[in-house]
Structures are given as structure tokens and as C-alpha cells.
Amino acid sequence: MNDETLTGPEAAGCPVTGGADAVRLYGPEAATDPHVIYGRLRETYGSVAPVLLEGDVRAWLVLGYRENRRVLDNPLQFSRDSRIWTDFRDGRVEAASPLMQMVGWRPDCVSQDGEPHRRLRGAVNDSLYAMAGRGIRRHITHFANKQIDAFIDAGRADLVADFAEYLPMLVLTRVYGLAEREGRTLAESSKQVIKGGADALAHNERIMDILGELAARKRAEPGADFASSLIEHGSGLDEEEIVNHLRLVLITAHTTTSNLLARVLQLVLTETSWLSGLVSGQLSLSAVVEKVMWDSPPLAVLPGRFATADLELGGCPVKEGDLLVLGLTAGNHDPAIRPDTAVSVQGNASHLAFSAGPHECPGQGIGQAIIETSVNILLHRLPKLRLAVPPSELTSTASTWESRLDSLPVEFAV
């Protein structure tokens, strides 16, 4: 092969991360249209690109679907243990960096591989399964109706601020054995941890304080809840492991489900064929969710994996200890596996939205239950539900990790 035939990452030279060509995944441009950034990076580098995360921390962004699957399916090559991360180990990233709230090591199952991961993951899976069988749809129904009751007399609402933004956390307060009044505080703090910035650490500490108190209370007075189930599990989780798993599930379950719920409602209200199909019974909500999972995953970028040895990925020279972040949205839109995004994906569940491999999201069943139950209740209780603004006026704001719908104004018959 000669230089005239080189394309993609080989033509660009696929520079080491953090060079002059590295693009920021945060800041004003990333907040308004990350898809443009993904497209430009794919065109320049191919399936793997050098990027800068918050604080200009170096990383590789995995854009290709196949490359994402290789990373997710191979923990021996791509570990979740950030203690091998070269930039952190060498002091270029401080422990107090907001980025560490997303990629830093914790005594939880997503930070570990192999047998330690299996032990901790087993406790989470068993406890979530137990909660799913204890009337969770009853809790969803209660809080969905309560949210709707608060705005139904007005004949209009913002289905982000008035419905999707807090509903999953309210359900989680019941699942955890927390007081309902703590739901809004925890929802706001979870959002700030994902968003990053100077306040991320303080919001994470607030979450940890609330969950530490919960764990202490449930040790003394166990109940039929997720916290008690983790405490009593045969895997023998210690105090630190219990609180960190409560944090892990709380933040990921709420933020991803609230984002996904808003996007499902957006699709239903901006494309009338989806709404009419649901109302007529010709279309299932699971088909709508599947479409959103492909087009707008609730986490656009998944943190993070660390190379355990020097290797090549997508033509790029990844070094031992390098950080990789996984472009779930970019991978789902990879032209190599999805050349025409207008083609129906119904019945195709091979999207990356729930991650994949040993760290695939364990709580997806609960998230699906929240979305299906709450959307059904919403459509039943709000006759002639319609968007109150032209679809072109709907906006989103992105961070490195997600893109969230700003608002969804609607009108309905009273």
C-alpha cells in the first residue's frame, strides 16, 4: 500500500491522544451539536479518534460499532479498573477532578473485572431482580399519576420538567426505602454528577451522605427494599461496597431512564404515526423504545476503559494505560453497520444503548417498566395530547456523556 491509497485513520496518521488535532468533547460546541463532532472525527480519523475530556484530559473516543463491541466484550484487553490509567497514575489527573466522578475507581462492580466483578455484580443482579418482582409497577403507577395530578388542570405542561425529569427518582426512592422528599434532591445531584463541572464533587458527596445514612438505618431496621437486599446478600458486601453500589444504581438508573423517557415522549409527539400506532394498538411501546435506543441512547458516551497492553484499535496505536471512552451514539450510527438510518430497526436489539459484555446494564428491565407504564398512563389520562410548539423549536443540551432534551411543551384536553 502506498501513501496515495491511504484513507481514514491511516491517512490522518491517527496521532497520539492530546495532540494539536485533538477535539474537545466538552464546551460550547459539544453542548449544542455533538453529532457534528462525531461526524467530523469519523471523517478525519475513522473508527477511533483522539479527544480531550473535561480539563483537557486525553482519551480515545471509539466511534465504530465493531470497535465498541471489541472493547466492551474484552475486559482482559480493556479493563474498567482506572488504577492502571497512566495519566492518573502519573499525576496528570487529580483525584479531585470532576472527571473522576465518572471514570475513577470505586469499590463497585463497574470498576472491577473477573471474579471481584462477578461477586459484586451477582449481589446487584439478585437485589434488582427481587425488587422488580415486588410490585414496582404499582410504585410507577402511583408516582406517574401524582405527577400528572399536579399539572392536569392547566391543560398544558412541560413533560421534561413536570414528568420525565423526576419520575424515575421518585420510583427509586420507594425501591430504596428512602423518603419521597429526598427524591428531588437526589435527582438534581445525580444530574450534576453526570454533567460534570466544579459542583460535581459536592453533589456526589451529598448523594453519598444520604445513602450512607440509609445503609446505616437499614442495617438496624431492614425492610423489603434494595438497600436491605444488598446488605443481606450472601456475597457479604462491606459497608463501603454497599454504599457505592447504592450510588451506582441510583445515578445510572435515574439519569438514563429520565433521559430515555423524555426522548420516547419526544418521538411519539413529533412523529404522529408513532402516536397513532400506540393509541390504536398497532404499535407497542417496546418498538418506540427500541427506535430511541438506536437513535438517541440515554448515554451518548460511556466511561471508560483502560488498555491493559499496547495494542491497535481501528488503526490507532493505543498504549497501555490509555483511557478509552465509548461512543454509544456514534457506534449506533456507524455507516458500516447502518448505512441508512431511515431503515426500520424494529426487532433489532443489537444497539449499544445498554452497553454490552460483562458490564451490560443490569437494570434495564426496571427502566423499561418505568417507561412503558408511565407513557401508557400519560396517554390514557391526557386526551388529545399534542406538542405545543413546532418540533423544530425543541432543543437539547449535551455534556460529554449525554444529550438531554431541554423541554417538551404539550397541550391536552381538560
Side-chain angles (χ1 to χ4, degrees):
M1 180 181 289
N2 59 47
D3 288 345
E4 293 179 347
T5 63
L6 290 174
T7 59
E10 293 168 313
C14 205
V16 175
T17 56
D21 295 331
V23 172
R24 288 182 173 89
L25 283 192
Y26 69 99
E29 183 182 7
T32 55
D33 203 342
H35 285 276
V36 170
I37 294 178
Y38 304 152
R40 190 165 72 241
L41 288 170
R42 196 192 304 276
E43 183 177 345
T44 303
Y45 300 109
S47 58
V48 179
V51 295
L52 296 173
L53 307 180
E54 187 174 0
D56 281 355
V57 173
R58 305 175 304 167
W60 296 105
L61 173 64
V62 186
L63 297 156
Y65 179 89
R66 293 182 179 90
E67 289 75 15
N68 269 289
R69 286 304 305 255
R70 177 185 165 188
V71 174
L72 291 166
D73 291 339
N74 290 280
L76 292 179
Q77 289 184 314
F78 304 97
S79 174
R80 188 58 183 86
D81 190 339
S82 64
R83 291 174 296 187
I84 69 170
W85 182 17
T86 300
D87 281 348
F88 179 69
R89 203 174 54 219
D90 293 349
R92 288 187 288 274
V93 179
E94 297 181 357
S97 166
L99 190 61
M100 296 301 289
Q101 302 306 317
M102 297 300 294
V103 303
W105 188 89
R106 293 175 180 276
D108 61 30
C109 60
V110 300
S111 293
Q112 303 181 63
D113 301 300
E115 182 54 37
H117 169 261
R118 286 188 286 273
R119 178 181 76 90
L120 298 171
R121 171 79 177 223
V124 172
N125 285 348
D126 292 346
S127 298
L128 286 175
Y129 182 78
M131 292 307 100
R134 290 177 180 166
I136 191 169
R137 289 184 185 270
R138 184 175 71 252
H139 302 325
I140 301 165
T141 299
H142 168 77
F143 286 114
N145 279 308
K146 188 171 183 176
Q147 294 282 91
I148 294 169
D149 288 342
F151 62 71
I152 193 168
D153 291 340
R156 57 174 52 244
D158 173 1
L159 291 184
V160 172
D162 298 331
F163 194 69
E165 190 164 314
Y166 295 108
L167 177 60
M169 186 61 78
L170 292 172
V171 174
L172 286 168
T173 59
R174 190 65 59 87
V175 170
Y176 270 53
L178 284 160
E180 181 182 331
R181 65 179 180 275
E182 294 175 309
R184 290 186 179 270
T185 297
L186 288 167
E188 180 61 27
S189 289
S190 296
K191 182 170 69 174
Q192 293 301 321
V193 168
I194 297 285
K195 182 180 178 181
D199 294 334
L201 182 60
H203 280 282
N204 186 73
E205 289 176 352
R206 178 184 296 175
I207 292 171
M208 294 296 283
D209 287 344
I210 292 173
L211 297 180
E213 292 172 2
L214 172 69
R217 187 166 69 250
K218 290 300 176 180
R219 278 198 183 279
E221 301 175 1
D225 51 66
F226 181 64
S228 298
S229 183
L230 279 180
I231 291 168
E232 296 169 352
H233 195 271
S235 295
L237 276 64
D238 63 29
E239 193 71 17
E240 195 176 15
E241 290 171 337
I242 290 165
V243 175
N244 274 277
H245 282 94
L246 290 172
R247 171 197 180 272
L248 169 68
V249 174
L250 184 93
I251 293 176
T252 55
H254 169 69
T255 54
T256 57
T257 305
S258 64
N259 196 356
L260 182 58
L261 177 55
R263 293 298 185 183
V264 167
L265 291 169
Q266 178 188 15
L267 178 60
V268 168
L269 291 167
T270 54
E271 298 190 24
T272 55
S273 61
W274 290 93
L275 179 58
S276 60
L278 287 175
V279 173
S280 66
Q282 295 177 316
L283 190 66
S284 69
L285 263 172
S286 61
V288 182
V289 173
E290 200 165 63
K291 168 72 171 169
V292 175
M293 288 292 195
W294 275 102
D295 292 345
S296 304
L299 276 183
V301 176
L302 180 70
R305 298 295 188 273
F306 305 90
T308 61
D310 293 354
L311 52 85
E312 185 179 281
L313 182 68
C316 286
V318 178
K319 300 298 183 183
E320 180 181 350
D322 278 0
L323 166 62
L324 302 97
V325 293
L326 305 175
L328 305 185
T329 296
N332 279 353
H333 287 259
D334 184 353
I337 60 103
R338 200 177 172 203
D340 184 357
T341 56
V343 173
S344 174
V345 290
Q346 189 166 350
N348 184 346
S350 59
H351 56 75
L352 298 171
F354 287 129
S355 179
H359 289 281
E360 182 174 355
C361 173
Q364 51 193 277
I366 290 178
Q368 187 93 359
I370 291 174
I371 290 164
E372 291 184 359
T373 304
S374 63
V375 173
N376 276 324
I377 292 170
L378 194 73
L379 296 180
H380 174 73
R381 291 200 58 189
L382 305 181
K384 299 181 180 179
L385 180 65
R386 60 191 178 275
L387 199 60
V389 298
S392 60
E393 291 187 11
L394 298 178
T395 60
S396 300
T397 301
S399 66
T400 298
W401 314 110
E402 62 174 358
S403 177
R404 298 188 74 87
L405 189 64
D406 294 323
S407 64
L408 191 63
V410 295
E411 299 172 338
F412 47 86
V414 178

